[in-house]
Amino acid sequence: MTTVLDRLHELQVQVPDMRFLTGPDIPERNRTDWSFLPPSSPVAVARPTSTDEVSKLLAACHADGVPVTPQGGLTGLCGGSRPIDGGVALSLERMSGVERIDPDGMTMTVLAGTPLETVQKAADEAGLFFSLDLGARGSCAIGGNLSTNAGGNRVIRYGMARDLVLGVEVVLADGTVLPMLNTMLKNNAGYDLKQLFLGSEGTLGVITRAVLRLHPRPGCVSAALCVVDGYDKVLDLLRTARRRLGPMLSAFEVMWDDYWYQATQRVSGVRAPVEIGGGSHVVLVEMQGLGAEVDTPRFEAWLEEVFASATVTDGAVAQSLGDIAAFWATRDAAAEFANPAVIGPHISFDVGLPVKRMDDFARESKAALERELGCQSVHYGHVGDGNLHIVAWVPGAAPQPLPEVSRIVYDIVRAYEGTVSAEHGIGTLKKPYLGHTRGPDEMALMRRIKNCLDPENNLNPGKVFD
Amino acid sequence: MTTVLDRLHELQVQVPDMRFLTGPDIPERNRTDWSFLPPSSPVAVARPTSTDEVSKLLAACHADGVPVTPQGGLTGLCGGSRPIDGGVALSLERMSGVERIDPDGMTMTVLAGTPLETVQKAADEAGLFFSLDLGARGSCAIGGNLSTNAGGNRVIRYGMARDLVLGVEVVLADGTVLPMLNTMLKNNAGYDLKQLFLGSEGTLGVITRAVLRLHPRPGCVSAALCVVDGYDKVLDLLRTARRRLGPMLSAFEVMWDDYWYQATQRVSGVRAPVEIGGGSHVVLVEMQGLGAEVDTPRFEAWLEEVFASATVTDGAVAQSLGDIAAFWATRDAAAEFANPAVIGPHISFDVGLPVKRMDDFARESKAALERELGCQSVHYGHVGDGNLHIVAWVPGAAPQPLPEVSRIVYDIVRAYEGTVSAEHGIGTLKKPYLGHTRGPDEMALMRRIKNCLDPENNLNPGKVFD
């Protein structure tokens, strides 16, 4: 009987540049992602250097029924790139690099394994701007960002990863290469097939290259922290920010008082630039303007107005890049919550809700968690985008009761007609709850599409849905 | 033998509110669209009033193998909504109306048959803005706009129809209703199935409702006409406009000298606000700003700069809304070219090209048309979006030699790695040329997707590809 390893050995002869790591050579990092799921046991990690090699690998695995799990920077939070025991992990990390920048078309062509930060820097060096940004920027790969339709901090202005890609080169489950490297903003010639591969978490094809959309580089940045009392004031602030800052509004991040306390009182090195006092929320507003002479006064005039109208009870305007960094530090402090000196082991959520109902949701889920499980929680999120993050923990519990906490949160999400994943995706962790957001006919159509593109179910099996 | 009419008669009993028009009652307008294809002979026009009726109609037609062609405002230019002889035309025109506006979530829920202009006005009355805009705004329906992924005048700032929709309710070929009325900007829970139905010209499902994304209403508008000499100056102007006006740049329309002559010298009622003199192109630049006090001076400062740097040789700044209308009249004059007193019968193209190579393309196709067919042509387009329109005519020819002219133009499009349709879609008219833009493996995948969603090929058969 030919084993998977025998088959990979034959393949190695055909494609000598592709590296296979097997047995003890398999790096720990390729066994799971940032979801905290336990390491798995793939039979091999394949590290191709070209699309042709990816194609040959997928064709061989397809012929032999070997499951393949594509991997980018392995920073996903839901287990989407965690390999199958006995399957092959397909790492794109050796396919890295910026191939071309077109300043007139405002596009960049990159290999899928390129780290996001490399993409951002290359755009900046060309005098342009790639707007996708998230905490894992130094580690995550652009191919993974596209496969998961990553969101991040500036969705309110620039959209999600899906909105920032004009073309992709994709390898299908059977090894077929689709060179759909469209560079045009407008192209209505036939079905827009690239959409199938954006946000489907590597279950329909492997993205090997992409044409990204670039924007003009911002000429100036302003930021403020605003304390408000009552969620209706948060909505007032959002409404006036949209009207007065328009498309320059680049972030509208809301921190609930429970979050603010943890971030500024418990995380070492983070100070509170404003006093929350009797307020209920702190809002970080950022504007990317065109020029400081014109747009900084515009931002300050808007702030004076919201102070004068008593929408905001306290606030601070950044006077320097250092201030802007200090303001963002209060929002980024969530990354330190896992530290036992702060919150320690906890469960994170990334839900989406109608903007108007986010505070009702936060109160209701907070009360239900406390009442049913003695579970604590704090809330923060990209409110302008309808995206709420919850950090929940039962003090002293080990392990944390993931299924029980999830059930409570996601049942309320369903009642609010929200989504169980605004930006992180489904992977394996959220599979049990996908039906809370998508109906049975939608689930059936997803399965039909999967079956249409990957009838043998070799490509990232067990992810998104069963 | 049960005929299609017998079957529709049975269906009429089940759904008394749905109207069927047959025989001489079939309106002329439902027999074709604005493609100038000859009227067809559907067996009936169905005019349902609800999603449930659409579902029952599709289920019945699916069971009996009757082809169904969805129709919105019938303003398509490629024959996409022209019915099949002997099939049923499914008109959405009685499913019209704005159902809900959410000012916090910035969304609007509408029925598919709602005219675009009604959507625009409803947004405006709510103090918001729906950015999609095109010449047929009073006649076209939003469902058709989404099904064809319409473009129009402001894509450079707001994107195409695809970028303006958060959710859709869709009826599949077999009558299954998918109520995917997502209202959130971010939703990564499973495959984004709505993408399948946007831009696929009614071949995969019938959109019956949509959740649209609204934007803040612009606070002011500025416009200028700039004369430049040489396409490199057009690119310079685009580059500085993007940098200095950033996301406020709402249109960058370029008119080649050949177009400018026809528009301003031949079309009655259109005057030339600038003299092209020895220039090669006239550019209409529009900025949607936030407030006139701040942004009008910004626009004028940018213009002074491009004059001072000799990028622009002549120009005019709009001083009033009347001026803005007069500037746009030069661009909208193309709608009058069919008038025998201007150009008369002609062939229109809607191609997409890399921005940098648009002028080379225009010269090359103009020369080839003249040399091979004695064919005249003029050029204009949304250059910031890579979208070029060509109007071509052989003086005195009746009919105009559509296949010969198309072959010449599309062969050059292929050589430039452009697209045969930037915004109008494929319908039936451009089917022979889809392979100029899409490769054989892409075509094969489109067919697999079609077969997956509509295995009997009942839904708008014969459109996009065979």
Side-chain angles (χ1 to χ4, degrees), chain A residues 10 83 202 229 289 317 380 443 463:
Chain A
E10 290 166 33
D229 188 24
V317 188
Y380 64 107
M443 297 290 296
K463 309 298 164 63

Side-chain angles (χ1 to χ4, degrees), chain A residues 203-204 444-457 465, chain B residues 191 448 452:
Chain A
T203 61
L204 299 178
L445 183 54
M446 286 187 224
R447 290 199 168 90
R448 274 161 70 185
I449 296 288
K450 169 71 174 172
N451 190 50
C452 173
L453 271 89
D454 179 21
E456 309 292 335
N457 194 24
F465 49 80
Chain B
Y191 300 170
R448 274 163 68 187
C452 173

Side-chain angles (χ1 to χ4, degrees), chain B residues 176-343:
Chain B
T176 303
V177 178
L178 296 179
M180 307 185 291
L181 292 168
N182 170 63
T183 62
M184 289 163 290
L185 207 54
K186 297 168 81 169
N187 189 345
N188 270 348
Y191 300 170
D192 189 359
L193 295 174
K194 73 171 174 287
Q195 304 294 344
L196 287 166
F197 308 100
L198 304 172
S200 54
E201 306 187 31
T203 61
L204 299 178
V206 179
I207 296 174
T208 46
R209 258 189 188 81
V211 180
L212 305 174
R213 184 177 180 187
L214 305 178
H215 283 95
R217 191 159 59 180
C220 63
V221 179
S222 297
L225 281 173
C226 300
V227 178
V228 298
D229 189 23
Y231 190 69
D232 53 334
K233 299 289 189 193
V234 172
L235 294 179
D236 286 347
L237 192 65
L238 176 59
R239 226 174 280 128
T240 83
R242 280 172 168 153
R243 196 169 59 239
R244 295 293 303 280
L245 309 179
M248 296 181 179
L249 178 63
S250 53
F252 191 92
E253 302 289 316
V254 178
M255 296 168 268
W256 269 250
D257 53 358
D258 50 23
Y259 172 94
W260 186 254
Y261 168 77
Q262 296 288 340
T264 62
Q265 303 297 310
R266 309 287 305 275
V267 176
S268 137
V270 176
R271 63 183 182 83
V274 292
E275 289 302 319
I276 192 166
S280 61
H281 300 77
V282 181
V283 184
L284 169 55
V285 184
E286 187 192 79
M287 177 196 77
Q288 289 185 340
L290 296 167
E293 334 70 57
V294 172
D295 293 315
T296 304
R298 181 202 296 277
F299 188 74
E300 288 169 357
W302 166 70
L303 274 178
E304 275 169 32
E305 222 175 75
V306 292
F307 272 103
S309 70
T311 304
V312 168
T313 59
D314 189 19
V317 189
Q319 301 295 334
S320 65
L321 290 177
D323 283 354
I324 293 178
F327 290 7
W328 274 102
T330 64
R331 170 63 179 76
D332 293 338
E336 299 298 321
F337 285 1
N339 184 331
V342 187
I343 289 173

Side-chain angles (χ1 to χ4, degrees), chain B residues 351-426:
Chain B
V351 303
L353 294 154
V355 173
K356 201 190 322 204
R357 305 188 70 195
M358 288 177 84
D359 193 60
D360 290 341
F361 170 89
R363 287 166 195 276
E364 192 173 332
S365 65
K366 189 182 188 74
L369 288 168
E370 169 77 43
R371 186 176 64 240
E372 296 188 34
L373 299 172
C375 178
Q376 304 297 302
S377 59
V378 302
H379 300 79
Y380 64 108
H382 318 288
V383 164
D385 316 327
N387 185 184
L388 184 70
H389 292 304
I390 308 169
V391 169
W393 71 100
V394 176
Q400 288 286 316
L402 177 66
E404 294 78 6
V405 172
S406 298
R407 189 187 52 73
I408 291 172
V409 170
Y410 292 137
D411 281 354
I412 304 174
V413 166
R414 175 159 57 186
Y416 276 77
E417 298 181 351
T419 174
V420 298
S421 175
E423 57 182 9
H424 296 166
I426 299 297

